[in-house]
């Protein structure tokens, strides 16, 4: 479909630096004949809200959603038959900046995809007699920038002046003679129908009203979310109020945004997350249209009346994803941790998977690679991530390297291609295939994966001179060519005690060869397996052989005869989890890891990359009690430390609140929530034996203080339940399965069952 495109701000008025009011557009037209069906296809370079004769055309928010706009822009199609009539009609839209030219990413880049916002729409009306009326975005539309939304920015927030409202502007009777004309423009990328899930308003929360020590009035919604506040206020026209949104209170108990701001000699990053509102006379209700925030707390300034909790509602906004994983056990803090992981997913799954809903709001590839498995136990994310993967491929550099952030937020291209981040190109589709069993995602991404592998191969062959000269030339790694020792790599990232800025600086100068080589082997192995699934035998063979060589390179470089010597937990977990060593070597390293964890008082020592694997590794190698002690540990660093400090989402940093109560970094990063994959796959024991759970394994691993677990995963085959309890030393298991399932009981017994409910009891 060919869509005309409109520039909607008058030529010459666009000051790139200034924040801008939203644009209001309308088109009045006559319909002479009876209407059988009317369909509106619409999109914008920016974000829009559409109306037909005074009705909102959809309950979706932040349309057209977020894609790599340089290449791809989604369009939406709505049935508007019931809103139109024979006679005079109006279709209308408000267009704001959104991801297109609003602030995005850590550096709050603006005007990233363009400095002009645009609207494209076509209304197709079918009449009873078979004829058609077509209304497109042409010069007959009228626009104004003098509406109530005075400033709108994705990160900063919205400024609204209710005294400038234009009653009836989306209806036929409104006089638009003083609005200005619009003029045509072009969008150069490809228009694609909406591919993800609808973005809609979801849960609602009422606050507690706090008076903080500094004398401020702060609302506490008791759950950290992404969304906005709807409020009702009564006061004099012209009165200004302000709402600032933050995730936490500071060590003094006052509202703060410092944890997600950044200040150094070189860079300063401020975060506003603010709504400024000018009242009209009387009682009014408002919520923002084009900005949303990550928050639990809202600081009110200049409220004109007594602050009543019932006048405020926090509304969570995210993509409409079905929760498929439910987990509950006898340990209330573990249940809270599960809740937190679900909420970090909700808070970061708005059309794209983001790192956090505050500081950056960016589709960091490594974060979703780490969380993808847990995320697909928790919710049905097949379609959502399928869409995002298309952007990953569209944004992939000609040399095959994959961006750190998809869609781009204008971050330095020069450091694209980090190990484990770029590997999202393979890990994400592979995990989706494992979890949902659909080959389509592998087929769709195959070319992108192949290019990524070629990029890695090229990198591996570019060994820098300093490596060749290093050490004893006679003891050189015989697999030297399979080491990746160039490029920027984020590395393990955020191990306890690490500071982001410092690690970043170090990584700029010293490539993390261990992580890069490990992921190279992993990528080659997964690509071989995927090639096999897609019937590409020769490629499978080639990459399997390559992966074996890379593993040898890794083994030579980072182990002594297969044994790791390190002070870091990550160094043991990685080669075991990514299958880089022989079975016997893995056993030995797992034993060393176990000793190390015990010595570390069961505190976690891993960062983004190996946190998802540490508990699976410990349990799989028989260190069940160690794994349970680690999860139940409430000391810092540990998952339940965060819970004991009142977390309602997963923190970015193990040290999110220190001993003095000082908050650091984002409070809503799902990466460490990847531990829930262990809840499902080991504690409840629900795992796929064949892709998409076509065959199931249920192998619960009880331990620690847990006396019961109740878990359901709604797989594509149907719901799978694993429910166990321990009493008097007996283990009782009830399973409900949709297809043939192998049951492994803790005492070693194995049973095969078919569809239906089954019960087992055994001595522990
Ligand atoms: C983000 C991440 C991301 C990382 C890169 C951070 O600033 O919030 O979660 O993966 O940078 O290592």
């Amino acid at each position: 479909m060919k869509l005309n495109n409109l520039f909607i701000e008058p030529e010459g008025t666009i000051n790139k630096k200034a924040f801008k009011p939203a644009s209001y557009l309308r088109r009045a037209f006559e319909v002479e004949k009876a209407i059988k069906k009317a369909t509106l296809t619409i999109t914008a370079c920016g974000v829009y809200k559409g109306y037909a004769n005074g009705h909102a055309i959809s309950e979706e928010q932040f349309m057209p959603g977020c894609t790599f706009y340089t290449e791809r822009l989604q369009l939406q199609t709505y049935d508007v038959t019931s809103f139109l009539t024979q006679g005079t009609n109006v279709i209308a839209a408000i267009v704001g900046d959104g991801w297109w030219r609003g602030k995005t990413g850590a550096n709050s880049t603006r005007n990233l995809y363009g400095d002009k916002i645009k609207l494209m729409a076509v209304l197709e009306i079918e009449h009873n007699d078979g004829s058609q009326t077509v209304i497109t975005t042409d010069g007959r539309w009228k626009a104004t920038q003098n509406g109530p939304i005075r400033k709108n920015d994705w990160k900063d927030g919205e400024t609204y002046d209710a005294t400038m409202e234009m009653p009836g502007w989306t209806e036929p009777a409104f006089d638009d003679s003083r609005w200005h004309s619009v003029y045509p423009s072009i969008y150069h990328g490809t228009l694609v129908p909406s591919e993800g899930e609808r973005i809609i308003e979801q849960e609602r929360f009422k606050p507690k009203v706090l008076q903080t020590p500094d004398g401020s009035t702060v609302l506490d919604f008791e759950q950290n979310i992404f969304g906005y506040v709807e409020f009702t206020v009564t006061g004099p026209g012209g009165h200004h109020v302000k709402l600032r949104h933050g995730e936490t209170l500071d060590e003094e108990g006052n509202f703060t945004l410092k944890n997600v701001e950044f200040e150094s000699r070189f860079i300063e990053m401020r975060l506003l997350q603010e709504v400024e509102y000018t009242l009209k006379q009387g009682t009014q209700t408002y919520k923002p249209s084009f900005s949303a925030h990550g928050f639990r707390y809202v600081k009110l300034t200049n409220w004109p009346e007594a602050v009543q909790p019932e006048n405020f509602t926090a509304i969570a906004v995210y993509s409409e994803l079905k929760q498929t994983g439910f987990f509950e056990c006898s340990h209330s803090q573990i249940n809270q941790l599960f809740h937190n992981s679900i909420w970090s997913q909700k808070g970061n799954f708005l059309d794209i998977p983001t790192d956090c809903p505050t500081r950056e709001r960016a589709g960091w590839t490594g974060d979703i690679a780490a969380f993808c498995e847990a995320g697909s136990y928790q919710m049905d994310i097949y379609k959502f991530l399928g869409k995002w993967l298309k952007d990953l491929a569209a944004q992939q550099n000609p040399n095959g390297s994959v961006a750190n952030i998809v869609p781009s937020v204008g971050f330095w291209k020069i450091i694209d291609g980090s190990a484990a981040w770029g590997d999202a190109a393979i890990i994400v589709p592979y995990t989706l295939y494992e979890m949902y069993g659909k080959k389509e995602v592998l087929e769709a991404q195959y070319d992108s994966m192949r290019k990524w592998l070629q990029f890695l191969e090229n990198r591996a062959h570019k060994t820098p001179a300093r490596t060749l000269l290093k050490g004893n030339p006679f003891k050189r790694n015989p697999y030297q060519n399979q080491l990746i020792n160039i490029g920027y790599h984020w590395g393990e990232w955020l191990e306890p005690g690490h500071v982001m800025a410092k690690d970043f600086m170090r990584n700029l100068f010293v490539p993390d060869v261990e992580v890069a080589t490990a992921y190279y082997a992993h990528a080659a192995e997964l690509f071989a397996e995927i090639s096999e699934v897609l019937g590409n035998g020769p490629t499978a063979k080639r990459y399997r052989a390559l992966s074996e060589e890379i593993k040898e390179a890794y083994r030579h470089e980072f182990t002594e005869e297969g044994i790791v010597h390190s002070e870091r937990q990550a160094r043991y977990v990685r080669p075991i989890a990514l299958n880089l060593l022989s079975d016997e070597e893995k056993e030995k390293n797992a034993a060393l890891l176990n000793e190390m964890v015990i010595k570390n008082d069961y505190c976690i020592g891993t960062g983004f990359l190996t946190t998802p694997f540490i508990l699976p590794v410990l349990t799989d190698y028989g260190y069940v009690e160690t794994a349970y002690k680690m999860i139940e540990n409430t000391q810092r660093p540990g998952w339940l430390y965060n819970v004991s400090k009142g977390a309602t989402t997963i923190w970015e940093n193990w040290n999110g609140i220190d001993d003095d109560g000082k908050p650091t970094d984002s409070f809503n990063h799902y990466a460490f929530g990847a531990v829930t994959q262990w809840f499902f796959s080991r504690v409840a024991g629900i795992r796929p034996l064949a892709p998409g759970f076509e065959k199931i394994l249920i192998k619960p691993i009880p331990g620690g203080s847990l006396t019961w677990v109740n878990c359901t995963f709604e797989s594509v085959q149907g719901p799978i339940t694993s429910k166990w309890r321990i009493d008097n030393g007996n283990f009782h298991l009830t399973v409900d399965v949709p297809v043939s399932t192998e049951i492994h009981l803790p005492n070693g017994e194995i049973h095969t069952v078919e569809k239906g409910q089954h019960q087992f009891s055994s001595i522990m």
Side-chain angles (χ1 to χ4, degrees), residues 147-169:
I149 301 179
R150 305 311 308 146
K151 163 187 168 180
N152 70 96
D153 182 75
W154 184 229
K155 284 177 78 178
D156 268 14
E158 195 161 291
T159 301
Y160 189 92
D161 185 344
T163 64
M164 294 181 75
E165 283 174 358
M166 306 173 290
W169 74 274

Side-chain angles (χ1 to χ4, degrees), residues 106 355-356 359-360 362 364-367 404 421 488 490-491 493-494 500 608 652 666 669 671:
D355 59 333
C356 62
R359 186 185 68 214
E360 308 190 27
W364 282 96
T365 45
D367 301 38
N404 285 305
W421 270 251
Y488 178 84
W490 296 100
W493 197 245
L494 281 181
M500 278 196 268
F608 267 34
E652 173 177 23
S666 143
H669 252 69

Side-chain angles (χ1 to χ4, degrees), residues 563-565 572 586-598 623:
I563 302 305
V564 175
H565 298 279
Y572 294 85
K586 286 190 224 162
E587 297 259 354
K588 288 184 184 157
N589 285 307
L592 294 171
L593 172 69
N594 176 54
E595 277 170 29
M596 191 171 185
V597 171
I598 295 172
Y623 306 106

Side-chain angles (χ1 to χ4, degrees), residues 209 211 217 232-234 300 303-312:
V209 180
Q211 295 301 325
T217 303
T232 299
V233 63
T234 306
L300 302 178
W303 212 254
E305 57 179 345
V307 174
Q308 304 291 352
E310 61 272 19
N311 286 337
F312 301 87

